[in-house]
Amino acid sequence: MNLGYTEEQKAFRDEVRAFLNDNLPKRLSDKVAGGKRLTKADYEEWHAILNARGWLGVNWPTQYGGTGWDAVQRHIFEEETTAAHAPRIVPFGVAMLGPVLMAFGSDAQKAHYLPRILNGEDWWCQGYSEPGAGSDLANVQTTAVRDGDDYIVNGQKTWTTLGQHADWIFCLVRTSKEGKRQEGISFLLIDMKTPGIEVRPIVLIDGEPEVNEVWFKDVRVPAANLVGEENKGWTYAKYLLTHERTNIAGVGFARAGLASLKRIAGSQSHNGKPLIQNPFFAAKVAQVEIDLMAMATTNLRTIAAAASGQAPGAESSMLKVKGTVIRQQINALAKQAVGPYAAPFVSELLDEGTNVDPVGPAEAMPATQAYFNNRKLSIYGGSNEVQRAIISKAILEL
Amino acid sequence: MNLGYTEEQKAFRDEVRAFLNDNLPKRLSDKVAGGKRLTKADYEEWHAILNARGWLGVNWPTQYGGTGWDAVQRHIFEEETTAAHAPRIVPFGVAMLGPVLMAFGSDAQKAHYLPRILNGEDWWCQGYSEPGAGSDLANVQTTAVRDGDDYIVNGQKTWTTLGQHADWIFCLVRTSKEGKRQEGISFLLIDMKTPGIEVRPIVLIDGEPEVNEVWFKDVRVPAANLVGEENKGWTYAKYLLTHERTNIAGVGFARAGLASLKRIAGSQSHNGKPLIQNPFFAAKVAQVEIDLMAMATTNLRTIAAAASGQAPGAESSMLKVKGTVIRQQINALAKQAVGPYAAPFVSELLDEGTNVDPVGPAEAMPATQAYFNNRKLSIYGGSNEVQRAIISKAILEL
Amino acid sequence: MQFKLTEERQMLQDGLRRYLADSTDHEKIAAATDGATGLDHALWDGLAEMGLPGAMFTEDQGGFGGEGFDIMTVAEELGRAGLPTPLIDSALLSGTVLAETRPELTQDLVAGKIVGFAHAEPGARYDLAHVATRAEKTAEGWTLTGNKAIVQFALAADGFVVSARTSGATDAKEGISLFLVPHEHVTLRDYPLNGGGRAAEMTLDATLPEDALLGEAGAAYALIETAHARAIAGQCAEALGLMETIKDLTVDYLRQRRQFGQPIGKFQALQHRMADVLIEIEQARSAVINLCGNLDTPERDLHVSAAKNLIGRVARQVVEESIQMHGGIGMTMEYALGHFAKRLSMVDHRFGDADTHLERFIHLSQSAA
Amino acid sequence: MQFKLTEERQMLQDGLRRYLADSTDHEKIAAATDGATGLDHALWDGLAEMGLPGAMFTEDQGGFGGEGFDIMTVAEELGRAGLPTPLIDSALLSGTVLAETRPELTQDLVAGKIVGFAHAEPGARYDLAHVATRAEKTAEGWTLTGNKAIVQFALAADGFVVSARTSGATDAKEGISLFLVPHEHVTLRDYPLNGGGRAAEMTLDATLPEDALLGEAGAAYALIETAHARAIAGQCAEALGLMETIKDLTVDYLRQRRQFGQPIGKFQALQHRMADVLIEIEQARSAVINLCGNLDTPERDLHVSAAKNLIGRVARQVVEESIQMHGGIGMTMEYALGHFAKRLSMVDHRFGDADTHLERFIHLSQSAA
């Protein structure tokens, strides 16, 4: 056993740190640290900086312009970028579609789409969820009917994160109603500019339009945009979901959140002393810190196993549940810490360079909005209920 | 709304208090307060004292020699006897079998058995549970086959509380394998002295043989001992289970436990101060006290509704769950409070008049044993899982 | 021992429930929050006509109630409708102060006039004794200077009961005085609130006539505490009403929403968690009853802190479980749950959170023992 | 970064697991607990031959291990078997002290000799600095007077490492000294323990030769703390092993036990709770790894308290959930679960409970910050 990094890994970490120090614009890290709203241009700027260094395709092999990093390197990169308050890499193109195309796409698709993901020409979004389906992803009602060289797509997708910025959407569509529900699904790439597509933002309980509904009405999609074989889409979808879910534990986010929580609780005064010195509050912070210390090691154990070639099984689900619970606890404590000033909600404060003054402490509103927004953590990406079912099935074998 | 007792109820409470003051032997209340093992003679002594006052048949109508009290009076009696550390009334004859006989027994059975329950001639135990059945009470495998004027009983019962003292057992037995499982069950009264009955104590994790296994091998039981009709026993069993479960919330036990917990935490020193002044420990005690204050009122609300003629529905299940959780939390805190001295286990200390000195504080061992013993609270009498199912079904109606 | 509402309260409850069900919903509340004062004034006038503030005052004070269970009856219905109103600020906080110090003014409150309550300050967190705002006696009367935090429905108020320090250190219970300040003497920066309604930061720099002082100078702390006990009773009852509606929404959802071929309410893991939520909502109701039944007993403060602690904990459980059981739809502001859950979530951020009241409960029980 | 056991440790683990599975079970442990010393001496000798205490010492000390992960490997297997042994007291507590102060004696410990550790006192609770036992320097040597609490396997021990105060106030870290005391100099009252094994209350009233002093007089606190860090590593790893066995028993039970016509493991409510138990056991494993990997780093004490806190909390959850899921059978001493659950439940009652270590963790992190 050895809890530390090897010399090689330490050198890599130093390289990432130096890169971030030199290349991460302060304007962006300030926005991330301050809980401001990131614009499409902000994400594109950061993608371009990473791509210039060859570090955007974090989980891609070098042959497609990726980094070729192993699981430990990816973990170090994730850890360092999060600690530095870099914007996250928008996952839909890089982390999700990329690997599917590499595994199942045609040569033409790979040659066309993969470089465009890296160089920022295409912003992708995900068309999996449908209204009324929830965690039951195989319940796909959106249809694609073959008509000559095209498919005609009709239906509706929802929870499409950042879909308002997207040039393209990858979709699960129903191409057959024969056999089991899973057997008639296909994986289709659709240009968002195609006539018949409508995008409507959904305002979440943090007040932000982070997700969207996407309607398809007689949308004509070239059959060349089918990935792999018709009616085999479920296989590709599952591959996407189980393929190396990067950073499912969210250790970096949790650490950043904990550091921010401690700052807030150090600056808030409770009965004449810093809140962090109140024994009840200190106990809750310490408890979650202890949980996080253990969870970080569970995460490293899984990463080390993955780096030595073992496929993670129920471990991913364990990390998803514990990781989201810890982050949500940190969010709840930060909301508690800001006290009465959790209540005011001034949307303009989320804009960059706003000249509106915050109401109360500047950290109050972002803390509250983060609490509300991160209730999603235990719902999306396979709800924690679904994860618990996976965990118990793996061990109970019933 | 009115949270207080009426003048009449207050007068009744004073009457109970005066009675306890005059009649509850200090020897018995000391044993109960000190967590000592109660003998059969102890219970019998207390039953006789209550019966002399006409207060043993707490939930019986006056025509059978009972008190005729309403739900509020029963609650007051329960509250006062518990606070005074009186032994509990052994429930199997008085609280369980009595009402079943009154509702479904023959005149001869009522005339014979009911007085004997009150005057202490018969100690009853309960033969419901069977090995492998758990919360699935309808899963009765013990058979009773008619043979002339007798039934021949074969099978096994388990978790028979205090069965080692019993003269009689009331049993669910299978008299038919036709139809639904519930339809072939009968309710039979069996003399424990009948040949073919064997009783074996089961030692629980608190070290005490509180429950027993009871084997029946070709046990011959007169058919006159059948209660009600053959194959209708399930109705009577359910009546017993749902009929006025007295004190399901256990408020009195919880209050006594909380008082004891505070005493222990006041006497234990933690880093030079009484443990009760440690903020973490004080917080946990206060939390459970606040929960108990609310639960006591939930209990009163249910009792008031019952006294005005409403049948409690899912409220009983809610009180069962919350009441047992609170008591178990109090037990866990008391075990925590006694610190390192939770470990020693000297069985002789549970005997009355022992000349063995306790190891460490006298309250340490009883606190630990109570924690282990009361893990049963959430298991027996319909496990808390079964109660949650009842609650959710009542409201979800699915 | 009796847990039924009196016939009068039952009628008020039924009337309010019907009226609110007909008159408002989460979209109208959102519209009012985006409006000028955060309040639907026509709705408030209608409620005043039905006796909404009147039930907070005794007959002597011009009302027809004033007891703890009157507060519970009314506030629970406001919670059930998810409706932000100035009831707590105007009728319970300012109302309690004015009934004691200017009884002639309570008639106006009963009629629906809004008098805001400006006591909390930016650095006070939940400490009722923290008053840095100063009041100086001058030849012209009283000069008030300082800042007040999150004054609810400030733009809807005709005036304010304002606390200021006439002596003593910033955190001392002694030396706090109360003043009646007309709207035109304060500067406000207003903003919307999570969970609906609006509030404002208040800047005070004004000279008021001598008779602006309410009661005795420097001796207002006990009255402020009494006012807060009543306000917390209202707030906890409102939280209970919010829980009831969230429960109904969630139960409906569990019954109707189908996944993997059956209603999700058939899934046992959700059934058991829902059972726990139901149990805790009953606990919350009992805590509110205990508080409302003890508003005028020596155990008042113990029950204030017990209820506020329990409501804070249960609120978090109800908010988080209801959103989780709804899944994505529970995360949106389009569906009613989002509004109710946010409003319930904010209860722990006013008048002291669950931990603050746990500390106070310990302090009170240990000094009682 | 590497989380696999070395080949040597893997072999030791495999060997121990096989040997213990063949040699003991909960009934034999109960029999030993009812026996004279609480220990199955033949089994202990067998374990010593396999290198059980030896793995706790470095090669320099006559052993073949001594690192945190050696402790983890061995103690986890003892936990898995539910077997009470003097490993923690003799090899980790007394062993750490003797390796530092009398290195010539560690050979005997490696060979299986038992030296008990008598430090805790009746009023000390979990305070390591609380030593009321006095040691007076006299012409003949040292006179020790006082009482020691719950000295584990006292009747099985040949002698004891005993702490006594040579100066300072009862709770002071300074002024504590350690002595080597032969068995015949102490008076013992022994008794069985919940979870198995025996311990004794010790009365000291004896005069010892001058060389009974271990190390420097009055300066033993740091060494006592180091010994406890290693003991807690062992105890936490043992707890982890207990959890693994309880998990296996419970999973088996959920798979085999049928109710309402199906295995109870098919009930979703139990599945989800079992999933949470599994997650927490992984957390416990990580906490033990963190502690064992940091026994010789400056973060040692932070990890001691983090692990002890986490293990204490998880232990309670595992104990209570496993009994609940087993139902009645889990309440009995006939079935193995009862023994394992009680033994696991006692972990929080030695070397500081979860709250005590949470307090210490807060103290350590705030003084580090």
Side-chain angles (χ1 to χ4, degrees):
Chain A
M1 297 244 199
N2 187 348
L3 302 193
Y5 289 129
T6 62
E7 288 309 312
E8 221 173 357
Q9 288 162 343
K10 282 185 198 158
F12 175 73
R13 186 186 59 191
D14 293 343
E15 191 185 352
V16 173
R17 272 188 201 167
F19 169 78
L20 290 168
N21 194 49
D22 295 344
N23 295 282
L24 172 59
K26 185 163 182 314
R27 190 186 66 82
L28 289 182
S29 58
D30 282 352
K31 284 184 84 164
V32 171
K36 301 279 185 205
R37 192 182 281 138
L38 291 182
T39 63
K40 182 176 186 182
D42 292 335
Y43 287 115
E44 287 176 336
E45 179 182 349
W46 181 234
H47 276 216
I49 291 168
L50 289 174
N51 193 42
R53 181 68 172 81
W55 283 1
L56 181 57
V58 171
N59 60 336
W60 291 18
T62 47
Q63 65 176 116
Y64 295 112
T67 60
W69 288 337
D70 69 14
V72 178
Q73 286 175 300
R74 290 199 299 273
H75 169 73
I76 291 171
F77 180 77
E78 188 71 47
E79 210 170 24
E80 295 299 322
T81 48
T82 313
H85 302 295
R88 65 172 181 153
I89 295 175
V90 181
F92 310 106
V94 176
M96 295 180 175
L97 179 64
V100 170
L101 287 180
M102 290 174 213
F104 306 108
S106 66
D107 287 343
Q109 286 170 337
K110 290 187 235 188
H112 177 73
Y113 292 111
L114 294 178
R116 294 172 63 90
I117 291 174
L118 293 187
N119 67 26
E121 283 177 89
D122 296 337
W123 179 301
W124 284 89
C125 67
Q126 176 178 250
Y128 269 34
S129 298
E130 298 194 2
S135 295
D136 185 7
L137 278 186
N139 187 5
V140 172
Q141 306 288 337
T142 299
T143 55
V145 178
R146 189 67 183 250
D147 180 47
D149 284 346
D150 296 333
Y151 287 101
I152 312 292
V153 177
N154 279 287
Q156 187 191 344
K157 295 290 177 181
T158 191
W159 314 126
T160 309
T161 303
L162 299 182
Q164 68 267 44
H165 302 326
D167 305 302
W168 285 79
I169 184 169
F170 56 89
C171 275
L172 296 184
V173 292
R174 182 154 301 283
T175 38
S176 162
K177 288 176 180 164
E178 311 282 306
K180 287 206 295 178
R181 299 186 310 159
Q182 285 81 355
E183 283 165 13
I185 295 171
S186 296
F187 195 107
L188 208 54
L189 310 177
I190 305 179
D191 186 335
M192 292 288 277
K193 290 182 298 294
T194 322
I197 295 181
E198 198 188 328
V199 178
R200 195 183 68 86
I202 303 174
V203 177
L204 294 187
I205 51 173
D206 65 344
E208 291 293 289
E210 187 180 38
V211 297
N212 298 270
E213 291 179 303
V214 183
W215 276 277
F216 300 88
K217 197 176 170 202
D218 296 330
V219 174
R220 195 164 275 276
V221 180
N225 290 11
L226 179 75
V227 174
E229 290 177 53
E230 196 175 80
N231 298 333
K232 291 282 165 69
W234 184 245
T235 312
Y236 317 147
K238 269 177 41 188
Y239 176 82
L240 184 157
L241 288 174
T242 54
H243 177 266
E244 305 247 335
R245 291 193 261 180
T246 53
N247 192 26
I248 195 166
V251 173
F253 290 118
R255 286 202 178 123
L258 182 64
S260 160
L261 167 62
K262 287 180 172 181
R263 267 195 310 276
I264 295 173
S267 68
Q268 284 282 321
S269 165
H270 175 82
N271 293 339
K273 274 198 238 171
L275 178 63
I276 192 72
Q277 286 177 28
N278 174 271
F280 297 175
F281 201 81
K284 290 181 183 174
V285 174
Q287 207 75 103
V288 78
E289 181 166 6
I290 289 170
D291 286 345
L292 175 54
M293 284 162 66
M295 198 268 285
T297 295
T298 310
N299 191 40
L300 292 179
R301 285 162 52 205
T302 310
I303 287 165
S308 73
Q310 287 174 45
E315 289 85 358
S316 291
S317 296
M318 293 193 183
L319 288 169
K320 164 71 164 56
V321 175
K322 195 71 197 177
T324 55
V325 167
I326 286 175
R327 284 174 66 190
Q328 290 177 333
Q329 281 172 344
I330 291 171
N331 289 138
L333 287 170
K335 169 170 164 285
Q336 183 187 340
V338 300
Y341 280 109
F345 177 67
V346 184
S347 177
E348 303 77 44
L349 283 169
L350 296 173
D351 294 332
E352 185 184 354
T354 176
N355 53 9
V356 176
D357 283 330
V359 178
E363 58 269 29
M365 201 178 98
T368 311
Q369 303 320 108
Y371 169 80
F372 286 125
N373 184 265
N374 276 346
R375 297 313 308 165
K376 77 186 175 194
L377 295 180
S378 47
I379 295 172
Y380 75 0
S383 73
N384 283 11
E385 287 74 25
V386 168
Q387 307 299 340
R388 287 192 179 92
I390 292 171
I391 295 164
S392 61
K393 265 172 199 135
I395 190 157
L396 290 170
E397 295 164 5
L398 283 172
Chain B
M1 295 242 199
N2 186 347
L3 302 192
Y5 290 129
T6 62
E7 288 310 312
E8 221 174 355
Q9 289 163 344
K10 281 185 198 157
F12 175 74
R13 187 186 58 190
D14 293 343
E15 191 186 349
V16 174
R17 272 190 201 167
F19 168 79
L20 290 168
N21 194 47
D22 296 344
N23 295 282
L24 172 59
K26 184 164 182 312
R27 189 185 66 81
L28 289 183
S29 57
D30 281 353
K31 283 184 83 164
V32 171
K36 302 280 185 202
R37 193 182 280 137
L38 290 183
T39 63
K40 183 177 185 182
D42 292 334
Y43 287 114
E44 286 176 334
E45 179 182 350
W46 181 234
H47 277 214
I49 292 168
L50 288 175
N51 194 40
R53 180 69 172 82
W55 284 2
L56 181 58
V58 171
N59 60 336
W60 292 18
T62 48
Q63 64 176 116
Y64 296 112
T67 61
W69 289 336
D70 69 14
V72 178
Q73 287 174 301
R74 291 199 298 274
H75 169 73
I76 290 170
F77 180 78
E78 188 72 47
E79 209 170 24
E80 295 299 322
T81 48
T82 312
H85 302 297
R88 64 171 183 158
I89 295 175
V90 180
F92 310 105
V94 177
M96 295 181 175
L97 179 63
V100 169
L101 287 181
M102 290 174 213
F104 307 108
S106 66
D107 288 342
Q109 286 170 338
K110 289 187 235 187
H112 178 73
Y113 292 111
L114 292 177
R116 296 171 62 89
I117 290 173
L118 293 187
N119 67 26
E121 284 177 87
D122 295 337
W123 180 302
W124 285 88
C125 66
Q126 175 177 253
Y128 269 33
S129 298
E130 298 194 0
S135 295
D136 185 8
L137 280 186
N139 186 5
V140 171
Q141 306 287 339
T142 299
T143 55
V145 177
R146 189 67 181 253
D147 179 49
D149 284 343
D150 296 332
Y151 287 102
I152 312 292
V153 177
N154 278 287
Q156 187 190 344
K157 296 290 175 179
T158 191
W159 313 127
T160 309
T161 303
L162 299 182
Q164 67 269 45
H165 302 326
D167 306 302
W168 286 80
I169 183 168
F170 55 91
C171 274
L172 296 184
V173 293
R174 182 155 300 285
T175 39
S176 162
K177 287 178 179 162
E178 310 284 306
K180 286 206 298 181
R181 299 185 311 158
Q182 285 81 353
E183 283 165 14
I185 295 172
S186 298
F187 195 107
L188 209 53
L189 310 177
I190 306 178
D191 185 337
M192 292 287 278
K193 291 181 297 294
T194 322
I197 296 182
E198 198 188 328
V199 177
R200 194 184 68 87
I202 303 174
V203 177
L204 294 187
I205 50 174
D206 65 344
E208 290 294 287
E210 187 180 39
V211 296
N212 299 269
E213 290 179 304
V214 183
W215 276 277
F216 300 88
K217 198 178 170 202
D218 296 331
V219 174
R220 193 163 278 274
V221 180
N225 290 11
L226 179 74
V227 174
E229 291 176 53
E230 196 175 82
N231 297 334
K232 291 281 164 69
W234 184 246
T235 312
Y236 317 146
K238 268 176 44 187
Y239 176 83
L240 184 157
L241 288 174
T242 55
H243 177 266
E244 305 245 336
R245 291 192 261 181
T246 53
N247 192 27
I248 195 166
V251 173
F253 291 118
R255 285 205 178 119
L258 182 64
S260 160
L261 166 62
K262 286 182 172 180
R263 268 195 311 276
I264 296 173
S267 68
Q268 285 282 322
S269 165
H270 175 82
N271 292 340
K273 274 198 238 169
L275 178 63
I276 192 72
Q277 287 176 28
N278 175 271
F280 298 176
F281 201 80
K284 290 182 182 173
V285 174
Q287 206 75 103
V288 78
E289 181 166 7
I290 289 170
D291 286 345
L292 175 54
M293 285 162 64
M295 198 267 286
T297 294
T298 310
N299 190 40
L300 291 179
R301 285 161 52 205
T302 310
I303 287 164
S308 72
Q310 290 174 43
E315 290 84 358
S316 291
S317 296
M318 292 193 184
L319 288 169
K320 165 71 164 55
V321 174
K322 194 70 199 179
T324 55
V325 166
I326 285 175
R327 286 174 65 191
Q328 290 178 333
Q329 281 172 344
I330 291 171
N331 289 140
L333 287 171
K335 169 171 164 282
Q336 184 188 339
V338 301
Y341 281 109
F345 176 68
V346 184
S347 177
E348 302 78 41
L349 283 169
L350 295 174
D351 294 332
E352 185 185 355
T354 176
N355 54 10
V356 176
D357 284 330
V359 178
E363 58 269 28
M365 201 177 97
T368 310
Q369 304 320 107
Y371 168 80
F372 286 125
N373 184 266
N374 276 346
R375 296 315 308 164
K376 76 185 175 195
L377 295 180
S378 47
I379 295 173
Y380 75 179
S383 72
N384 283 12
E385 287 74 25
V386 167
Q387 306 299 341
R388 287 193 179 93
I390 292 170
I391 297 164
S392 62
K393 262 168 201 139
I395 191 159
L396 290 171
E397 294 164 4
L398 282 173
Chain C
M1 220 171 67
Q2 223 276 81
F3 293 94
K4 284 189 195 137
L5 292 181
T6 58
E7 214 172 301
E8 292 76 21
R9 287 184 189 132
Q10 187 67 57
M11 279 175 58
L12 180 62
Q13 185 185 67
D14 293 346
L16 277 173
R17 193 173 302 183
R18 266 197 310 274
Y19 179 72
L20 287 165
D22 291 345
S23 314
T24 191
D25 58 33
H26 76 281
E27 286 169 352
K28 290 182 187 161
I29 292 167
T33 297
D34 290 339
T37 63
L39 186 65
D40 177 340
H41 288 267
L43 181 57
W44 174 250
D45 291 344
L47 288 167
E49 238 166 79
M50 293 189 71
L52 184 97
M56 304 296 98
F57 296 93
T58 64
E59 289 188 25
D60 287 356
Q61 294 163 347
F64 57 92
E67 289 183 15
F69 293 118
D70 297 306
I71 299 175
M72 179 171 175
T73 304
V74 167
E76 185 180 338
E77 293 311 311
L78 293 178
R80 210 179 276 272
L83 183 69
T85 73
L87 183 85
I88 286 176
D89 289 76
S90 184
L92 291 174
L93 289 168
S94 297
T96 301
V97 169
L98 293 176
E100 184 80 17
T101 57
R102 294 285 161 90
E104 69 277 14
L105 296 182
T106 53
Q107 277 295 4
D108 294 345
L109 296 178
V110 167
K113 181 172 164 167
I114 298 168
V115 176
F117 193 74
H119 171 59
E121 300 192 355
R125 202 171 171 88
Y126 304 119
D127 181 2
L128 285 188
H130 180 107
V131 175
T133 297
R134 312 287 312 181
E136 307 280 347
K137 190 77 184 283
T138 64
E140 298 95 83
W142 296 96
T143 302
L144 269 63
T145 47
N147 297 292
K148 294 291 175 181
I150 319 181
V151 181
Q152 292 217 2
F153 291 105
L155 287 190
D158 292 309
F160 302 91
V161 169
V162 176
S163 63
R165 188 164 287 288
T166 43
S167 67
T170 301
D171 291 328
K173 291 181 181 175
E174 295 74 30
I176 304 173
S177 307
L178 292 168
F179 298 88
L180 189 59
V181 181
H183 194 107
E184 59 271 23
H185 281 82
V186 303
T187 311
L188 299 172
R189 175 200 170 183
D190 103 304
Y191 44 79
L193 294 172
N194 281 313
R198 298 182 79 88
E201 301 299 288
M202 176 185 285
T203 308
L204 289 155
D205 188 5
T207 300
L208 303 165
E210 200 161 328
D211 69 353
L213 177 69
L214 298 169
E216 199 189 326
Y221 184 78
L223 186 55
I224 290 171
E225 219 174 23
T226 299
H228 275 86
R230 293 171 64 80
I232 288 172
Q235 186 201 36
C236 288
E238 198 186 330
L240 178 64
L242 287 161
M243 290 174 192
E244 291 287 352
T245 296
I246 292 173
K247 174 183 90 182
D248 292 344
L249 287 170
T250 308
V251 166
D252 278 357
Y253 194 79
L254 290 172
R255 289 163 53 87
Q256 283 162 22
R257 166 80 157 147
R258 296 177 71 85
Q259 226 176 309
F260 301 105
Q262 57 179 345
I264 59 173
K266 285 266 191 193
F267 289 104
Q268 198 194 35
L270 296 189
Q271 289 178 350
H272 283 210
R273 281 160 58 185
M274 195 66 207
D276 283 332
V277 168
L278 296 169
I279 290 170
E280 294 306 320
I281 294 178
E282 288 308 312
Q283 287 283 97
R285 178 170 299 281
S286 291
V288 173
I289 289 173
N290 285 345
L291 170 54
C292 289
N294 281 286
L295 271 185
D296 299 311
T297 77
E299 270 81 51
R300 182 192 76 187
D301 289 348
L302 204 68
H303 285 285
V304 164
S305 287
K308 194 71 170 74
N309 169 267
L310 192 140
I311 291 282
R313 286 184 287 135
V314 176
R316 180 170 170 197
Q317 182 180 356
V318 171
V319 165
E320 297 184 353
E321 286 290 60
S322 65
I323 293 175
Q324 185 70 24
M325 290 191 199
H326 274 84
I329 191 77
M331 288 290 302
T332 71
M333 284 312 285
E334 292 174 22
Y335 180 64
L337 179 73
H339 166 68
F340 284 91
K342 284 179 81 170
R343 186 156 181 78
L344 181 56
S345 186
M346 286 301 125
V347 165
D348 210 40
H349 293 272
R350 198 174 189 209
F351 306 140
D353 60 22
D355 278 356
T356 304
H357 281 281
L358 188 62
E359 245 179 327
R360 184 165 174 259
F361 181 89
I362 293 167
H363 177 75
L364 290 167
S365 24
Q366 293 190 344
S367 35
Chain D
M1 219 172 65
Q2 224 275 82
F3 293 94
K4 284 191 197 137
L5 291 180
T6 58
E7 213 172 304
E8 292 77 18
R9 288 184 189 132
Q10 188 67 59
M11 279 176 60
L12 180 60
Q13 184 185 68
D14 293 347
L16 277 173
R17 193 173 300 184
R18 266 198 310 275
Y19 180 72
L20 287 165
D22 291 347
S23 314
T24 191
D25 58 34
H26 76 281
E27 286 168 352
K28 288 182 186 159
I29 292 167
T33 296
D34 290 339
T37 63
L39 185 66
D40 177 339
H41 288 268
L43 181 57
W44 173 251
D45 291 344
L47 287 168
E49 240 167 76
M50 292 190 72
L52 184 95
M56 304 296 98
F57 296 93
T58 63
E59 289 188 26
D60 287 354
Q61 295 162 347
F64 57 93
E67 289 182 16
F69 293 118
D70 297 306
I71 299 175
M72 179 171 176
T73 304
V74 166
E76 186 181 337
E77 292 311 311
L78 293 177
R80 210 179 277 272
L83 183 70
T85 73
L87 183 84
I88 285 176
D89 288 76
S90 184
L92 291 174
L93 288 167
S94 297
T96 301
V97 169
L98 294 175
E100 184 78 20
T101 57
R102 293 287 160 89
E104 69 277 14
L105 297 181
T106 53
Q107 276 296 5
D108 293 345
L109 296 179
V110 167
K113 180 172 164 165
I114 297 168
V115 176
F117 194 73
H119 170 59
E121 301 192 356
R125 202 171 172 89
Y126 304 120
D127 181 1
L128 285 188
H130 181 106
V131 175
T133 297
R134 311 288 313 182
E136 306 281 345
K137 189 81 186 279
T138 63
E140 298 95 82
W142 296 95
T143 302
L144 269 61
T145 47
N147 298 291
K148 294 290 175 181
I150 318 180
V151 182
Q152 292 218 1
F153 291 105
L155 287 191
D158 292 310
F160 302 91
V161 170
V162 176
S163 62
R165 189 163 286 289
T166 42
S167 66
T170 302
D171 291 328
K173 291 182 182 175
E174 295 74 31
I176 304 173
S177 306
L178 291 168
F179 299 87
L180 190 58
V181 181
H183 194 107
E184 59 271 23
H185 281 82
V186 304
T187 312
L188 299 172
R189 175 197 169 184
D190 102 303
Y191 44 78
L193 295 172
N194 281 313
R198 297 182 81 88
E201 301 299 286
M202 176 186 285
T203 307
L204 290 155
D205 187 5
T207 299
L208 303 164
E210 200 161 331
D211 70 353
L213 178 70
L214 298 168
E216 198 188 326
Y221 185 78
L223 185 55
I224 291 171
E225 219 175 22
T226 298
H228 275 84
R230 292 170 65 81
I232 288 172
Q235 186 201 36
C236 288
E238 199 186 328
L240 178 65
L242 287 161
M243 291 174 193
E244 291 286 353
T245 296
I246 292 173
K247 174 182 89 182
D248 292 344
L249 286 170
T250 308
V251 166
D252 279 356
Y253 194 77
L254 289 172
R255 289 164 52 88
Q256 283 162 22
R257 166 80 157 146
R258 296 177 72 86
Q259 227 176 308
F260 302 104
Q262 56 180 346
I264 59 174
K266 283 267 191 193
F267 289 104
Q268 198 194 34
L270 296 187
Q271 288 179 350
H272 283 209
R273 281 160 57 184
M274 195 64 208
D276 283 332
V277 168
L278 296 170
I279 290 171
E280 293 306 320
I281 295 178
E282 288 309 311
Q283 286 283 94
R285 178 169 300 281
S286 291
V288 173
I289 289 173
N290 284 345
L291 170 54
C292 290
N294 281 286
L295 271 185
D296 299 310
T297 75
E299 270 82 49
R300 182 192 77 186
D301 288 347
L302 204 69
H303 285 285
V304 164
S305 287
K308 194 68 170 74
N309 168 268
L310 191 141
I311 290 282
R313 286 184 287 136
V314 176
R316 181 170 169 198
Q317 182 180 357
V318 170
V319 165
E320 297 185 353
E321 285 291 60
S322 65
I323 292 175
Q324 186 70 24
M325 289 191 201
H326 274 84
I329 191 79
M331 287 290 301
T332 72
M333 284 312 285
E334 292 173 20
Y335 179 64
L337 179 71
H339 166 69
F340 285 91
K342 284 180 81 169
R343 187 158 179 78
L344 181 56
S345 185
M346 285 301 124
V347 166
D348 210 38
H349 293 272
R350 201 175 186 208
F351 306 139
D353 61 22
D355 278 354
T356 304
H357 281 282
L358 188 62
E359 245 179 325
R360 184 166 175 259
F361 181 89
I362 292 168
H363 177 75
L364 290 167
S365 22
Q366 292 189 346
S367 36

